[in-house]
Every structure is written in C-alpha cells, then in structure tokens.
Amino acid sequence: MHPVINHMVQLQELTLIRDEQLHAKRTEHLEQLNTSISEMTNKLPANMRTQFEKLQKRDPIAVAPISDSNCSVCGMKLATSLVQMISSKKEMHACPSCARILFVDDSAPRRVGQRTRRHGPRKVGIARFSSEVLMIPDLSATNAEEAIQELAEKMENEGFVLHADKMIEAALRREALCSTAVEDELAFPHVRSVEGGGLTLALGTSKKGFHFHDERGLTRIVCFIVIPTAASAFYLKLLAGLTKSFLKENNRSALLKETDPVKMWKTLCRVTRTTVK
Ligand SMILES: [Zn+2]
C-alpha cells in the first residue's frame, strides 16, 4: 500500500474506534485516542491532511478500498485504467463519484458473496447478518485469541469468508489498539474492510467465562463481526442493539443456557427482535 494511504487507513481506524467508544458512552480510552488521532493527523502531508479532514467532515470513511473494481462505499464502477493506476500504488486517486481516496488491499480477508435464495421469506432482524450455522454454544476458548480463532474459522468453514487466518490477524491487531471487551460479560471483536458481501456475525458463548481482556471481568458472550467498509455506520447501530439486548441478565442467561446451535440461534433471534432491525 502507498505509505501515505496506509497512514490514513490507520488514522481512519482510530477515528472509527473513537466513534464506537462515543456511541457506547465509554470514556476511558478517549483521551489516549484523541492524542493518537491528532499526532497521526499532524504527520500527514499538508495537502492530504486538508483533503482527509474535509472528507471526514462529511462521513467517517474518507479512505475506501476498491472491491471488484468498484468503490466499496458508493459502489461506483471504476474505469480499468483508474484501477490500474491505483494498483500501481505510485499515486493517490479519488473516487470520481464520492471523492473518497481509493486504495487496493490485496492482503485483506474477503467475504464470499451473499448466498441469495430466490424463494423463501425475506430475512429480517439479526437473520440478515447471521445464521444458525454461525452459532457456537460453549466455546472451548480460554482467551481472546482462541475465541477469535474459533469464530473466524467457523465463518470460513461455513463458507462465509475466505482467509480466516487473515481475519484472525486483523481482529487481533484491532484488539491491540483498544479492547472490544465491555461490561456485562460481552466482547465484540471485529474486522473492518472485509469486502465482497454483507456484514456478518458469528456468536460464541462460554458458560465458564474467560478473561477476554485483563482489565475486565469474565466474558461469556463473544460477537465476532466482519464489516464491509460501507457498513461502518450501520455497525454502530448493530452494536448498540446487541448491547441493549444483552444488558438484560435474563437475555444473557437464556443464551448461555443453550447447548444446541439451532436452539441458540432461535434464542438470539428472540432476544434481539426489538433491538436489531
Ligand atoms: Zn466512491
């Protein structure tokens, strides 16, 4: 990746983490995040800094990966010559439609295209993002890395994503920036910029619980989420909905009680019916 783009991608990730924290009304990492964000912003070349800040005033996503020759955010089909220039990584180019700065990331994990069913009822609620085959009752994990690995491999084995290994790496890099474990026995590890399909969630439970992050209590419910760049804003809504459901102790215990993936899935659908739209 072009070094300046790489810098902007990392900076953007920090601003998205800050949005997550603000959304969840969590303040303990805000000061450190703000410091890192201003330090990284100051290191950008002046012209890029102006452009980046102007784009972020409009929307948190200022830098967007190309997916199948399209801008991953606005969906604009890009001319082959433009894709080639961006792939050469020598110069930076903006999307002709939405003006976001484009990049190619060959090393990113990828979502396998949505499996479309022509028949059957339209999916609603959590069923738009997950499935009974993505439920793991009683994870064998005893730490964050093992939990992420189990859930990422589940997604790959069930044919939702390619390259579980790259997802695990990316999710752990994200954890290193700021842990996704929260109160109420929850953790929301995730990987952004997984293009090629929709936002996807795999869920694992652990009755015993384990320390996802040293500073937190035991984690018992792990929501592992892959997020296409265009769904970054929606992800915040999903996060809020899931948190609201699991804030209720009876919803958590209903889920933790299940030992069968199909029953666990039905319970997840039930407890998120009014919170995940
Ligand atoms: Zn665009």
Side-chain angles (χ1 to χ4, degrees):
M1 212 186 286
H2 190 291
V4 178
I5 300 241
N6 189 29
H7 188 90
M8 282 192 284
V9 169
Q10 289 176 44
L11 172 58
Q12 176 167 288
E13 184 63 27
L14 289 178
T15 63
L16 292 168
I17 294 174
R18 182 174 59 187
D19 288 351
E20 281 166 29
Q21 304 278 313
L22 288 170
H23 216 75
K25 301 189 174 63
R26 303 174 63 81
T27 51
E28 76 254 46
H29 298 292
L30 278 182
E31 204 181 309
Q32 190 202 331
L33 279 166
N34 281 332
T35 310
S36 308
I37 288 167
S38 33
E39 277 171 14
M40 286 193 76
T41 307
N42 290 336
K43 279 184 195 156
L44 279 175
N47 58 335
M48 292 316 296
R49 178 182 168 165
T50 312
Q51 198 179 346
F52 185 85
E53 287 181 326
K54 198 170 135 199
L55 286 164
Q56 272 210 329
K57 271 201 187 117
R58 194 184 60 180
D59 182 272
I61 306 294
V63 207
I66 296 179
S67 172
D68 293 329
S69 302
N70 297 309
C71 167
S72 62
V73 179
C74 75
M76 167 96 176
K77 176 95 185 143
L78 305 166
T80 313
S81 55
L82 180 59
V83 176
Q84 279 167 353
M85 281 191 285
I86 295 164
S87 304
S88 76
K89 294 165 191 166
K90 288 192 191 100
E91 41 193 324
M92 283 178 276
H93 293 273
C95 170
S97 168
C98 70
R100 291 183 175 88
I101 303 153
L102 296 169
F103 67 95
V104 176
D105 186 2
D106 302 322
S107 67
R110 237 189 118 64
R111 177 75 162 74
V112 178
Q114 222 100 336
R115 287 181 285 186
T116 46
R117 269 194 240 150
R118 284 195 193 167
H119 305 290
R122 199 173 69 89
K123 290 177 178 173
V124 292
I126 195 79
R128 292 194 289 143
F129 320 108
S130 193
S131 144
E132 61 191 34
V133 299
L134 294 176
M135 301 293 110
I136 308 184
D138 229 354
L139 291 160
S140 51
T142 57
N143 58 43
E145 187 169 352
E146 287 170 9
I148 288 169
Q149 185 174 348
E150 264 182 273
L151 290 161
E153 284 174 355
K154 185 79 175 164
M155 272 194 193
E156 182 175 39
N157 295 340
E158 294 296 339
F160 285 82
V161 290
L162 301 172
H163 321 302
D165 52 338
K166 289 181 188 172
M167 287 208 305
I168 297 162
E169 256 179 62
L172 290 173
R173 273 202 305 275
R174 168 64 188 81
E175 288 301 321
L177 291 173
C178 182
S179 172
T180 62
V182 294
E183 292 82 11
D184 304 308
E185 313 179 319
L186 299 169
F188 295 96
H190 57 263
V191 185
R192 226 184 298 274
S193 297
V194 182
E195 310 303 332
L199 183 145
T200 310
L201 171 135
L203 191 140
T205 55
S206 166
K207 278 185 205 59
K208 274 203 319 274
F210 58 89
H211 282 280
F212 197 89
H213 189 262
D214 293 343
E215 292 163 28
R216 302 252 171 253
L218 290 177
T219 292
R220 291 194 167 88
I221 297 175
V222 185
C223 300
F224 179 68
I225 304 168
V226 300
I227 312 160
T229 306
S232 292
F234 176 74
Y235 167 67
L236 292 178
K237 284 190 192 164
L238 177 66
L239 198 63
L242 291 168
T243 309
K244 197 173 169 193
S245 285
F246 293 132
L247 208 68
K248 295 185 179 147
E249 206 277 326
N250 57 337
N251 283 345
R252 295 200 301 277
S253 55
L255 200 71
L256 285 164
K257 205 176 63 196
E258 303 296 358
T259 51
D260 173 67
V262 177
K263 285 188 182 157
M264 183 170 147
W265 170 243
K266 284 189 180 146
T267 302
L268 178 66
C269 292
R270 180 173 61 78
V271 303
T272 55
R273 191 162 290 147
T274 58
T275 56
V276 177
K277 306 268 178 185

mmCIF file of all heavy atoms in Angstrom, residues 226-257:
data_model
loop_
_atom_site.group_PDB
_atom_site.id
_atom_site.type_symbol
_atom_site.label_atom_id
_atom_site.label_comp_id
_atom_site.label_asym_id
_atom_site.label_seq_id
_atom_site.Cartn_x
_atom_site.Cartn_y
_atom_site.Cartn_z
ATOM 1 N N VAL A 226 -17.671 -9.310 10.972
ATOM 2 C CA VAL A 226 -16.896 -8.781 9.847
ATOM 3 C C VAL A 226 -17.724 -7.683 9.176
ATOM 4 O O VAL A 226 -18.929 -7.835 8.990
ATOM 5 C CB VAL A 226 -16.447 -9.852 8.823
ATOM 6 C CG1 VAL A 226 -15.566 -10.904 9.468
ATOM 7 C CG2 VAL A 226 -17.611 -10.508 8.122
ATOM 8 N N ILE A 227 -17.039 -6.585 8.870
ATOM 9 C CA ILE A 227 -17.748 -5.380 8.451
ATOM 10 C C ILE A 227 -17.220 -4.879 7.105
ATOM 11 O O ILE A 227 -16.065 -4.490 7.007
ATOM 12 C CB ILE A 227 -17.533 -4.251 9.494
ATOM 13 C CG1 ILE A 227 -17.781 -4.777 10.910
ATOM 14 C CG2 ILE A 227 -18.400 -3.044 9.186
ATOM 15 C CD1 ILE A 227 -17.141 -3.921 11.993
ATOM 16 N N PRO A 228 -18.051 -4.869 6.072
ATOM 17 C CA PRO A 228 -17.619 -4.212 4.837
ATOM 18 C C PRO A 228 -17.526 -2.705 5.107
ATOM 19 O O PRO A 228 -18.298 -2.188 5.929
ATOM 20 C CB PRO A 228 -18.742 -4.508 3.843
ATOM 21 C CG PRO A 228 -19.713 -5.402 4.530
ATOM 22 C CD PRO A 228 -19.430 -5.384 5.993
ATOM 23 N N THR A 229 -16.610 -2.016 4.441
ATOM 24 C CA THR A 229 -16.397 -0.592 4.716
ATOM 25 C C THR A 229 -17.705 0.200 4.666
ATOM 26 O O THR A 229 -17.970 1.037 5.536
ATOM 27 C CB THR A 229 -15.388 -0.001 3.714
ATOM 28 O OG1 THR A 229 -14.214 -0.806 3.778
ATOM 29 C CG2 THR A 229 -15.027 1.429 4.034
ATOM 30 N N ALA A 230 -18.545 -0.097 3.677
ATOM 31 C CA ALA A 230 -19.784 0.676 3.512
ATOM 32 C C ALA A 230 -20.740 0.489 4.683
ATOM 33 O O ALA A 230 -21.650 1.298 4.880
ATOM 34 C CB ALA A 230 -20.481 0.281 2.207
ATOM 35 N N ALA A 231 -20.546 -0.574 5.490
ATOM 36 C CA ALA A 231 -21.471 -0.836 6.604
ATOM 37 C C ALA A 231 -20.933 -0.305 7.931
ATOM 38 O O ALA A 231 -21.466 -0.625 8.980
ATOM 39 C CB ALA A 231 -21.753 -2.330 6.704
ATOM 40 N N SER A 232 -19.882 0.531 7.885
ATOM 41 C CA SER A 232 -19.263 1.011 9.126
ATOM 42 C C SER A 232 -20.248 1.746 10.022
ATOM 43 O O SER A 232 -20.231 1.572 11.237
ATOM 44 C CB SER A 232 -18.088 1.933 8.814
ATOM 45 O OG SER A 232 -17.057 1.178 8.241
ATOM 46 N N ALA A 233 -21.112 2.575 9.431
ATOM 47 C CA ALA A 233 -22.070 3.326 10.244
ATOM 48 C C ALA A 233 -23.148 2.387 10.779
ATOM 49 O O ALA A 233 -23.543 2.477 11.938
ATOM 50 C CB ALA A 233 -22.704 4.441 9.425
ATOM 51 N N PHE A 234 -23.587 1.458 9.935
ATOM 52 C CA PHE A 234 -24.602 0.518 10.395
ATOM 53 C C PHE A 234 -24.075 -0.344 11.541
ATOM 54 O O PHE A 234 -24.815 -0.695 12.469
ATOM 55 C CB PHE A 234 -25.109 -0.388 9.265
ATOM 56 C CG PHE A 234 -26.067 -1.399 9.786
ATOM 57 C CD1 PHE A 234 -27.361 -1.030 10.136
ATOM 58 C CD2 PHE A 234 -25.663 -2.706 10.028
ATOM 59 C CE1 PHE A 234 -28.222 -1.938 10.708
ATOM 60 C CE2 PHE A 234 -26.528 -3.625 10.606
ATOM 61 C CZ PHE A 234 -27.813 -3.241 10.939
ATOM 62 N N TYR A 235 -22.791 -0.670 11.486
ATOM 63 C CA TYR A 235 -22.186 -1.495 12.538
ATOM 64 C C TYR A 235 -22.429 -0.887 13.924
ATOM 65 O O TYR A 235 -22.716 -1.609 14.881
ATOM 66 C CB TYR A 235 -20.689 -1.675 12.267
ATOM 67 C CG TYR A 235 -19.942 -2.230 13.446
ATOM 68 C CD1 TYR A 235 -20.181 -3.527 13.882
ATOM 69 C CD2 TYR A 235 -19.025 -1.463 14.150
ATOM 70 C CE1 TYR A 235 -19.535 -4.035 14.990
ATOM 71 C CE2 TYR A 235 -18.372 -1.967 15.254
ATOM 72 C CZ TYR A 235 -18.633 -3.252 15.671
ATOM 73 O OH TYR A 235 -18.001 -3.741 16.765
ATOM 74 N N LEU A 236 -22.338 0.449 14.008
ATOM 75 C CA LEU A 236 -22.557 1.115 15.294
ATOM 76 C C LEU A 236 -23.982 0.869 15.808
ATOM 77 O O LEU A 236 -24.209 0.681 16.992
ATOM 78 C CB LEU A 236 -22.304 2.617 15.177
ATOM 79 C CG LEU A 236 -20.852 3.047 14.940
ATOM 80 C CD1 LEU A 236 -20.764 4.559 14.807
ATOM 81 C CD2 LEU A 236 -19.940 2.568 16.065
ATOM 82 N N LYS A 237 -24.938 0.847 14.882
ATOM 83 C CA LYS A 237 -26.332 0.593 15.264
ATOM 84 C C LYS A 237 -26.498 -0.839 15.746
ATOM 85 O O LYS A 237 -27.193 -1.113 16.725
ATOM 86 C CB LYS A 237 -27.266 0.818 14.066
ATOM 87 C CG LYS A 237 -27.512 2.258 13.754
ATOM 88 C CD LYS A 237 -28.634 2.349 12.733
ATOM 89 C CE LYS A 237 -28.721 3.742 12.159
ATOM 90 N NZ LYS A 237 -29.504 3.763 10.943
ATOM 91 N N LEU A 238 -25.859 -1.764 15.026
ATOM 92 C CA LEU A 238 -25.948 -3.172 15.408
ATOM 93 C C LEU A 238 -25.351 -3.380 16.800
ATOM 94 O O LEU A 238 -25.925 -4.068 17.645
ATOM 95 C CB LEU A 238 -25.216 -4.040 14.370
ATOM 96 C CG LEU A 238 -25.173 -5.541 14.670
ATOM 97 C CD1 LEU A 238 -26.563 -6.160 14.611
ATOM 98 C CD2 LEU A 238 -24.254 -6.272 13.693
ATOM 99 N N LEU A 239 -24.201 -2.755 16.994
ATOM 100 C CA LEU A 239 -23.512 -2.847 18.283
ATOM 101 C C LEU A 239 -24.428 -2.342 19.408
ATOM 102 O O LEU A 239 -24.562 -2.975 20.459
ATOM 103 C CB LEU A 239 -22.251 -1.975 18.201
ATOM 104 C CG LEU A 239 -21.144 -2.197 19.201
ATOM 105 C CD1 LEU A 239 -20.573 -3.585 19.050
ATOM 106 C CD2 LEU A 239 -20.030 -1.169 18.979
ATOM 107 N N ALA A 240 -25.068 -1.207 19.166
ATOM 108 C CA ALA A 240 -25.971 -0.630 20.172
ATOM 109 C C ALA A 240 -27.145 -1.576 20.442
ATOM 110 O O ALA A 240 -27.524 -1.789 21.594
ATOM 111 C CB ALA A 240 -26.471 0.728 19.699
ATOM 112 N N GLY A 241 -27.692 -2.170 19.381
ATOM 113 C CA GLY A 241 -28.825 -3.085 19.527
ATOM 114 C C GLY A 241 -28.454 -4.327 20.318
ATOM 115 O O GLY A 241 -29.174 -4.736 21.243
ATOM 116 N N LEU A 242 -27.315 -4.922 19.973
ATOM 117 C CA LEU A 242 -26.878 -6.136 20.677
ATOM 118 C C LEU A 242 -26.591 -5.824 22.143
ATOM 119 O O LEU A 242 -26.972 -6.573 23.042
ATOM 120 C CB LEU A 242 -25.621 -6.717 20.006
ATOM 121 C CG LEU A 242 -25.819 -7.325 18.609
ATOM 122 C CD1 LEU A 242 -24.479 -7.595 17.939
ATOM 123 C CD2 LEU A 242 -26.636 -8.617 18.695
ATOM 124 N N THR A 243 -25.917 -4.685 22.379
ATOM 125 C CA THR A 243 -25.598 -4.304 23.752
ATOM 126 C C THR A 243 -26.879 -4.132 24.566
ATOM 127 O O THR A 243 -26.965 -4.588 25.700
ATOM 128 C CB THR A 243 -24.776 -2.992 23.767
ATOM 129 O OG1 THR A 243 -23.677 -3.155 22.873
ATOM 130 C CG2 THR A 243 -24.235 -2.671 25.142
ATOM 131 N N LYS A 244 -27.872 -3.504 23.952
ATOM 132 C CA LYS A 244 -29.137 -3.272 24.648
ATOM 133 C C LYS A 244 -29.795 -4.604 25.036
ATOM 134 O O LYS A 244 -30.279 -4.764 26.154
ATOM 135 C CB LYS A 244 -30.067 -2.462 23.734
ATOM 136 C CG LYS A 244 -31.218 -1.828 24.467
ATOM 137 C CD LYS A 244 -31.985 -0.903 23.545
ATOM 138 C CE LYS A 244 -33.291 -0.490 24.200
ATOM 139 N NZ LYS A 244 -34.208 0.133 23.265
ATOM 140 N N SER A 245 -29.785 -5.559 24.111
ATOM 141 C CA SER A 245 -30.368 -6.875 24.411
ATOM 142 C C SER A 245 -29.633 -7.564 25.541
ATOM 143 O O SER A 245 -30.252 -8.121 26.444
ATOM 144 C CB SER A 245 -30.303 -7.781 23.183
ATOM 145 O OG SER A 245 -31.268 -7.401 22.258
ATOM 146 N N PHE A 246 -28.315 -7.544 25.477
ATOM 147 C CA PHE A 246 -27.518 -8.320 26.428
ATOM 148 C C PHE A 246 -27.262 -7.593 27.750
ATOM 149 O O PHE A 246 -26.656 -8.151 28.654
ATOM 150 C CB PHE A 246 -26.206 -8.764 25.790
ATOM 151 C CG PHE A 246 -26.411 -9.749 24.685
ATOM 152 C CD1 PHE A 246 -25.778 -9.594 23.467
ATOM 153 C CD2 PHE A 246 -27.254 -10.832 24.861
ATOM 154 C CE1 PHE A 246 -25.981 -10.501 22.440
ATOM 155 C CE2 PHE A 246 -27.470 -11.743 23.844
ATOM 156 C CZ PHE A 246 -26.833 -11.580 22.631
ATOM 157 N N LEU A 247 -27.718 -6.362 27.821
ATOM 158 C CA LEU A 247 -27.659 -5.645 29.079
ATOM 159 C C LEU A 247 -28.580 -6.345 30.084
ATOM 160 O O LEU A 247 -28.363 -6.303 31.287
ATOM 161 C CB LEU A 247 -28.173 -4.221 28.824
ATOM 162 C CG LEU A 247 -27.669 -3.092 29.688
ATOM 163 C CD1 LEU A 247 -26.195 -2.868 29.384
ATOM 164 C CD2 LEU A 247 -28.438 -1.807 29.356
ATOM 165 N N LYS A 248 -29.599 -7.003 29.561
ATOM 166 C CA LYS A 248 -30.564 -7.701 30.425
ATOM 167 C C LYS A 248 -30.013 -9.072 30.789
ATOM 168 O O LYS A 248 -29.763 -9.903 29.905
ATOM 169 C CB LYS A 248 -31.897 -7.849 29.699
ATOM 170 C CG LYS A 248 -32.549 -6.516 29.423
ATOM 171 C CD LYS A 248 -33.919 -6.698 28.809
ATOM 172 C CE LYS A 248 -34.555 -5.344 28.564
ATOM 173 N NZ LYS A 248 -35.391 -5.323 27.395
ATOM 174 N N GLU A 249 -29.891 -9.274 32.078
ATOM 175 C CA GLU A 249 -29.295 -10.514 32.578
ATOM 176 C C GLU A 249 -30.086 -11.734 32.106
ATOM 177 O O GLU A 249 -29.509 -12.759 31.743
ATOM 178 C CB GLU A 249 -29.214 -10.433 34.107
ATOM 179 C CG GLU A 249 -28.120 -11.293 34.724
ATOM 180 C CD GLU A 249 -28.523 -12.736 34.914
ATOM 181 O OE1 GLU A 249 -29.712 -13.015 35.203
ATOM 182 O OE2 GLU A 249 -27.633 -13.600 34.763
ATOM 183 N N ASN A 250 -31.413 -11.627 32.082
ATOM 184 C CA ASN A 250 -32.215 -12.798 31.675
ATOM 185 C C ASN A 250 -31.999 -13.168 30.203
ATOM 186 O O ASN A 250 -32.056 -14.332 29.832
ATOM 187 C CB ASN A 250 -33.706 -12.598 32.012
ATOM 188 C CG ASN A 250 -34.262 -11.350 31.383
ATOM 189 O OD1 ASN A 250 -33.518 -10.423 31.054
ATOM 190 N ND2 ASN A 250 -35.575 -11.293 31.196
ATOM 191 N N ASN A 251 -31.685 -12.167 29.357
ATOM 192 C CA ASN A 251 -31.385 -12.469 27.959
ATOM 193 C C ASN A 251 -30.043 -13.199 27.839
ATOM 194 O O ASN A 251 -29.894 -14.133 27.060
ATOM 195 C CB ASN A 251 -31.328 -11.183 27.124
ATOM 196 C CG ASN A 251 -32.723 -10.653 26.813
ATOM 197 O OD1 ASN A 251 -33.714 -11.378 26.965
ATOM 198 N ND2 ASN A 251 -32.796 -9.400 26.383
ATOM 199 N N ARG A 252 -29.077 -12.740 28.639
ATOM 200 C CA ARG A 252 -27.761 -13.409 28.605
ATOM 201 C C ARG A 252 -27.884 -14.842 29.106
ATOM 202 O O ARG A 252 -27.380 -15.767 28.485
ATOM 203 C CB ARG A 252 -26.739 -12.656 29.476
ATOM 204 C CG ARG A 252 -26.399 -11.271 28.984
ATOM 205 C CD ARG A 252 -25.075 -10.785 29.556
ATOM 206 N NE ARG A 252 -25.011 -10.712 31.005
ATOM 207 C CZ ARG A 252 -25.462 -9.685 31.734
ATOM 208 N NH1 ARG A 252 -26.023 -8.646 31.125
ATOM 209 N NH2 ARG A 252 -25.343 -9.675 33.041
ATOM 210 N N SER A 253 -28.598 -15.020 30.195
ATOM 211 C CA SER A 253 -28.667 -16.381 30.738
ATOM 212 C C SER A 253 -29.477 -17.298 29.822
ATOM 213 O O SER A 253 -29.164 -18.481 29.696
ATOM 214 C CB SER A 253 -29.185 -16.396 32.173
ATOM 215 O OG SER A 253 -30.418 -15.749 32.228
ATOM 216 N N ALA A 254 -30.473 -16.744 29.111
ATOM 217 C CA ALA A 254 -31.234 -17.563 28.156
ATOM 218 C C ALA A 254 -30.305 -18.087 27.060
ATOM 219 O O ALA A 254 -30.368 -19.251 26.658
ATOM 220 C CB ALA A 254 -32.368 -16.746 27.551
ATOM 221 N N LEU A 255 -29.420 -17.220 26.612
ATOM 222 C CA LEU A 255 -28.491 -17.606 25.543
ATOM 223 C C LEU A 255 -27.438 -18.596 26.056
ATOM 224 O O LEU A 255 -27.107 -19.581 25.382
ATOM 225 C CB LEU A 255 -27.806 -16.348 24.999
ATOM 226 C CG LEU A 255 -27.191 -16.476 23.615
ATOM 227 C CD1 LEU A 255 -28.262 -16.573 22.554
ATOM 228 C CD2 LEU A 255 -26.296 -15.285 23.317
ATOM 229 N N LEU A 256 -26.945 -18.325 27.251
ATOM 230 C CA LEU A 256 -25.882 -19.164 27.819
ATOM 231 C C LEU A 256 -26.378 -20.572 28.169
ATOM 232 O O LEU A 256 -25.591 -21.507 28.232
ATOM 233 C CB LEU A 256 -25.294 -18.499 29.067
ATOM 234 C CG LEU A 256 -24.374 -17.306 28.780
ATOM 235 C CD1 LEU A 256 -24.157 -16.470 30.026
ATOM 236 C CD2 LEU A 256 -23.038 -17.777 28.210
ATOM 237 N N LYS A 257 -27.664 -20.692 28.356
ATOM 238 C CA LYS A 257 -28.256 -21.976 28.722
ATOM 239 C C LYS A 257 -28.245 -22.952 27.541
ATOM 240 O O LYS A 257 -28.188 -24.168 27.725
ATOM 241 C CB LYS A 257 -29.701 -21.691 29.147
ATOM 242 C CG LYS A 257 -30.320 -22.682 30.088
ATOM 243 C CD LYS A 257 -31.717 -22.197 30.479
ATOM 244 C CE LYS A 257 -32.608 -22.145 29.239
ATOM 245 N NZ LYS A 257 -33.833 -21.363 29.406
#
